[in-house]
């Protein structure tokens, strides 16, 4: 199997681990909007925004540092042991302190105190699974990685459906049954976090093998190197997370209290439609990140990196146009409640922003393989400042549209900055004409389909067909090389 065939095979499997579970999780959007008013759905979204931020803090870049040193150190068990001890100790300290001061933490984060313990325990369980998942990826075990990820989301999804949909019906039909003992009225938000907690606990249990080592050793010198390598990654991760979720927090603070939660609910629900691009970009990143490190010392790796970015842009352009063309159909499958549809105009903006973010991840190879991760932090901080600035100044006047434009501006800026600095420190021969051509055509066709022809499915499908034929004509040799195995 050729190098690129192996890469795309792993990307496909990691894609299954990411795409299939999250496709199943789409069911939660209509489920949540069915059983909860927009204000409650907005509150759940805000809590998950804080989840995302603290997940990055509790990882403090150790996942990426693990990849870096697992591939370069001769004693890989030492790397694994040091990483597990480090994250285990910091997670224990976090859990202890957070529980001791849980009321103050809840007040600081504007989270209802009845949910704060769920939040703490879920964060701790997820942190303890970070290194085990990285260990599977580093050992190129994508199938096991995929199975565990799918089990996690399937359990979470199943429990959500049971608690929010089936349990109330069972109690109503059989008021004297055993189900009455576990049913609590108006307990939907807690049920959501109980489902998440059980799924996270089961996931960690499935990963326990990585904790069973012949002996544990903590290499202080190695740990110091890993922390220095990982902290800029953490800063970059926090900045990334600000770009992804901080807009919900700012919407809650800057919109009038009477409509804030409802507006967040509408925006977040329609935001889900753009998840197709995010899923593709995430799956692609999971597949190529180990490849970047393991082939950084090979002959002329820059050529391979440029080809991979070209592949991403071709596929991403198709996904961008396809999702925009069929957005009106997708909203009926994903966001069933029409009360949320007024936020649909943000969908093309968010999809394009996710596309720019995916390109940025490909371009970021230069600072990862040259140990200049501080540039990732700098670039991400610029993106976060753009996000915060646009949201702060424009949310009071244009609401969640400011959040959508801020996301696009931030990711596009990060993409451009990464290319600029990468050209200086680690030149890669990207085919800018091809990248610009595909992006430009897909953006123009998307704008025509959504804004000019108002989502006309026949015109949109025709534009998509023209684009696909164009891709096929220009990339025939590429497609043949990837998907057709050479006879020799």
């Amino acid at each position: 199997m050729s190098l690129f065939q192996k890469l795309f095979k792993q990307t496909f499997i990691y894609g299954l681990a990411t795409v299939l579970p999250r496709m199943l999780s789409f069911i939660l959007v209509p489920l949540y909007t069915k059983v909860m008013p927009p204000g409650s759905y907005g509150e759940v979204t805000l809590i998950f925004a804080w989840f995302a931020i603290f997940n990055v803090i509790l990882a403090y870049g150790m996942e990426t540092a693990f990849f870096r040193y697992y591939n370069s150190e001769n004693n890989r068990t030492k790397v694994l042991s040091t990483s597990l001890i480090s994250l285990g100790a910091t997670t224990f300290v976090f859990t202890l302190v957070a529980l001791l001061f849980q009321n103050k933490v809840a007040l600081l984060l504007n989270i209802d105190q009845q949910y704060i313990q769920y939040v703490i325990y879920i964060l701790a369980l997820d942190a303890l699974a970070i290194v085990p998942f990285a260990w599977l990826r580093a050992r190129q075990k994508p199938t096991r990685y995929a199975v565990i990820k799918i089990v996690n989301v399937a359990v979470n999804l199943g429990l959500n459906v049971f608690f929010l949909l089936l349990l109330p019906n069972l109690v109503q039909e059989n008021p004297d049954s055993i189900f009455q003992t576990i049913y609590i009225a108006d307990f939907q938000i807690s049920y959501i976090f109980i489902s998440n907690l059980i799924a996270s606990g089961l996931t960690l249990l499935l990963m326990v093998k990585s904790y069973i080592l012949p002996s544990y050793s903590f290499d202080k010198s190695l740990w110091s190197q890993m922390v220095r390598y990982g902290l800029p990654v953490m800063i970059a991760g926090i900045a990334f997370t600000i770009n992804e979720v901080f807009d919900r927090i700012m919407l809650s603070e800057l919109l009038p209290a009477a409509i804030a939660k409802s507006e967040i609910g509408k925006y977040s629900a329609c935001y889900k439609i753009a998840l197709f691009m995010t899923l593709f970009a995430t799956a692609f990143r999971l597949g190529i990140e180990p490849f970047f490190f393991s082939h950084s010392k090979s002959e002329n790796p820059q050529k391979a990196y440029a080809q991979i970015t070209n592949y991403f842009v071709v596929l991403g352009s198709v996904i961008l146009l396809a999702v925009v063309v069929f957005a009106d159909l997708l909203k009926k499958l994903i966001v069933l409640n029409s009360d949320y549809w007024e936020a649909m105009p943000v969908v093309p903006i968010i999809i394009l922003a996710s596309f720019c973010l995916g390109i940025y991840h490909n371009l970021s190879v230069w600072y990862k393989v040259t140990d200049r991760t501080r540039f990732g932090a700098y670039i991400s901080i610029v993106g976060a400042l753009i996000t915060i600035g646009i949201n702060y100044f424009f949310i009071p006047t244009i609401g969640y549209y400011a959040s959508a434009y801020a996301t696009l501006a931030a990711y596009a800026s990060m993409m451009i900055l990464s290319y600029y600095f990468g050209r200086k420190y680690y030149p890669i021969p990207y085919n800018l004409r091809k990248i610009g051509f595909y992006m430009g055509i897909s953006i123009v066709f998307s704008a025509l389909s959504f804004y000019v022809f108002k989502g006309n499915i026949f015109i949109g499908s025709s534009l998509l067909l023209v684009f696909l034929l164009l891709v096929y004509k220009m990339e025939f040799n590429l497609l043949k090389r990837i998907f057709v195995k050479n006879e020799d």
Side-chain angles (χ1 to χ4, degrees):
M1 182 180 294
S2 71
L3 181 64
F4 289 110
Q5 285 177 327
K6 182 178 180 181
L7 170 63
F8 275 85
K9 178 184 177 181
Q10 290 196 12
T11 300
F12 174 75
I13 297 175
Y14 283 125
L16 289 178
T18 306
V19 175
L20 290 181
R22 294 194 183 185
M23 287 294 289
L24 290 174
S25 73
F26 279 161
I27 299 174
L28 294 177
V29 178
L31 175 61
Y32 288 168
T33 55
K34 179 180 180 179
V35 302
M36 294 185 295
S40 296
Y41 180 62
E43 185 171 353
V44 171
T45 302
L46 286 175
I47 294 175
F48 275 105
W50 285 117
F51 264 128
I53 292 173
F54 276 95
N55 280 332
V56 176
I57 295 173
L58 291 175
Y60 51 92
M62 192 57 68
E63 180 183 24
T64 304
F66 176 85
F67 279 125
R68 167 66 177 82
Y69 289 94
Y70 190 85
N71 283 288
S72 61
E73 290 283 332
N74 293 326
N75 189 345
R76 292 182 170 182
T77 302
K78 180 178 66 176
V79 177
L80 176 60
S81 175
T82 300
S83 302
L84 290 174
I85 293 173
S86 178
L87 272 174
T90 54
T91 301
F92 174 78
V93 171
F94 161 78
T95 305
L96 181 62
V97 173
L99 288 174
L100 287 174
F101 300 98
Q102 58 183 281
N103 293 337
K104 293 183 178 180
V105 172
L107 184 63
L108 178 65
L109 303 183
N110 196 23
I111 294 176
D112 195 306
Q113 291 184 7
Q114 64 180 312
Y115 310 130
I116 192 64
Q117 287 194 16
Y118 297 132
V119 172
I120 294 169
Y121 290 132
I122 292 169
L123 286 171
L125 291 171
D126 289 346
L128 293 175
I130 291 170
V131 171
F133 274 123
W135 181 61
L136 288 179
R137 289 175 56 198
R139 294 171 62 234
Q140 298 188 19
K141 300 289 185 180
T143 302
R144 180 168 176 78
Y145 179 97
V147 169
I148 295 175
K149 285 286 187 179
I150 291 172
V151 168
N152 172 278
V153 178
V155 169
N156 198 343
L157 173 63
L159 290 173
N160 269 276
V161 172
F162 172 75
F163 284 127
L164 301 180
L165 192 61
L166 298 181
L167 183 60
N169 292 333
L170 290 171
V171 172
Q172 184 176 6
E173 295 173 0
N174 303 282
D176 298 326
S177 68
I178 191 174
F179 297 110
Q180 180 66 48
T181 61
I182 60 174
Y183 175 72
I184 303 175
D186 299 322
F187 203 63
Q188 292 92 341
I189 295 177
S190 291
Y191 280 139
I192 290 171
F193 295 124
I194 289 172
S195 302
N196 201 319
L197 180 64
I198 295 172
S200 295
L202 178 60
T203 298
L204 184 60
L205 185 63
L206 292 174
M207 302 291 291
V208 73
K209 183 179 178 180
S210 61
Y211 280 90
I212 303 175
L213 302 178
S215 62
Y216 273 86
S217 63
F218 184 78
D219 189 314
K220 186 175 180 181
S221 175
L222 173 63
W223 177 80
S224 179
Q225 295 176 54
M226 294 179 73
V227 170
R228 285 198 302 270
Y229 184 90
L231 285 179
V233 176
M234 181 191 73
I235 296 172
I238 292 173
F240 270 133
T241 308
I242 287 174
N243 291 328
E244 291 179 353
V245 301
F246 205 68
D247 50 3
R248 278 74 156 183
I249 297 171
M250 297 191 72
L251 285 167
S252 71
E253 297 294 331
L254 297 175
L255 288 177
I259 65 170
K261 296 289 179 64
S262 177
E263 293 293 280
I264 294 169
K266 296 171 186 177
Y267 175 68
S268 300
C270 291
Y271 199 106
K272 287 285 188 181
I273 297 175
L275 193 62
F276 288 97
M277 180 64 77
T278 304
L279 294 173
F280 163 67
T282 301
F284 201 93
R285 179 178 61 84
L286 290 173
I288 64 173
E289 195 169 59
F291 172 86
F292 283 159
F293 287 114
S294 61
H295 291 82
S296 60
K297 304 300 182 182
S298 63
E299 183 179 353
N300 194 15
Q302 292 92 334
K303 182 179 179 181
Y305 297 157
Q307 289 176 325
I308 289 170
T309 301
N310 288 340
Y311 300 162
F312 178 86
V313 171
V314 171
L315 296 173
S317 297
V318 172
I319 293 172
L320 167 65
L321 181 55
V323 174
V324 171
V325 166
F326 296 110
D328 281 340
L329 295 178
L330 292 172
K331 74 181 182 184
K332 296 175 183 179
L333 296 174
I334 300 170
V335 187
L336 300 183
N337 190 337
S338 60
D339 291 341
Y340 292 78
W341 292 354
E342 70 177 56
M344 279 297 295
V346 306
V347 171
I349 303 169
I350 297 299
I351 297 173
L352 179 57
S354 298
F355 191 17
C356 291
L357 177 61
I359 296 174
Y360 167 78
H361 281 307
N362 282 269
L363 298 178
S364 68
V365 60
W366 70 267
Y367 67 71
K368 292 181 179 179
V369 300
T370 61
D371 291 348
R372 290 187 172 95
T373 53
R374 65 184 185 278
F375 279 92
Y378 300 153
I379 293 170
S380 299
I381 289 171
V382 171
L385 291 175
I386 291 173
T387 295
I388 293 171
I390 294 178
N391 275 291
Y392 180 80
F393 288 109
F394 293 102
I395 280 178
T397 54
I398 60 175
Y400 49 66
Y401 287 97
S403 300
Y405 288 124
T407 304
L408 175 58
Y411 290 153
S413 299
M414 291 164 59
M415 176 183 68
I416 294 170
L417 287 172
S418 185
Y419 171 75
Y420 172 80
F421 287 112
R423 186 175 58 177
K424 178 179 179 181
Y425 292 100
Y426 191 79
I428 296 176
Y430 296 113
N431 190 334
L432 295 182
R433 293 183 61 183
K434 176 180 287 190
I435 291 173
F437 174 79
Y438 281 120
M439 286 191 69
I441 295 297
S442 65
I443 292 170
V444 170
F445 281 9
S446 296
L448 289 173
S449 174
F450 194 90
Y451 297 110
V452 177
F453 296 106
K454 306 300 181 183
N456 185 296
I457 192 67
F458 298 105
I459 295 177
S461 298
S462 299
L463 292 171
L464 178 60
L465 180 60
V466 169
F467 189 74
L468 289 173
L469 291 173
L470 186 63
V471 171
Y472 179 79
K473 181 177 180 181
M474 296 183 62
E475 306 296 337
F476 176 78
N477 291 331
L478 163 66
L479 296 172
K480 183 177 180 181
R481 181 168 48 177
I482 294 174
F483 296 108
V484 179
K485 186 176 180 179
N486 295 327
E487 295 181 358
D488 56 353

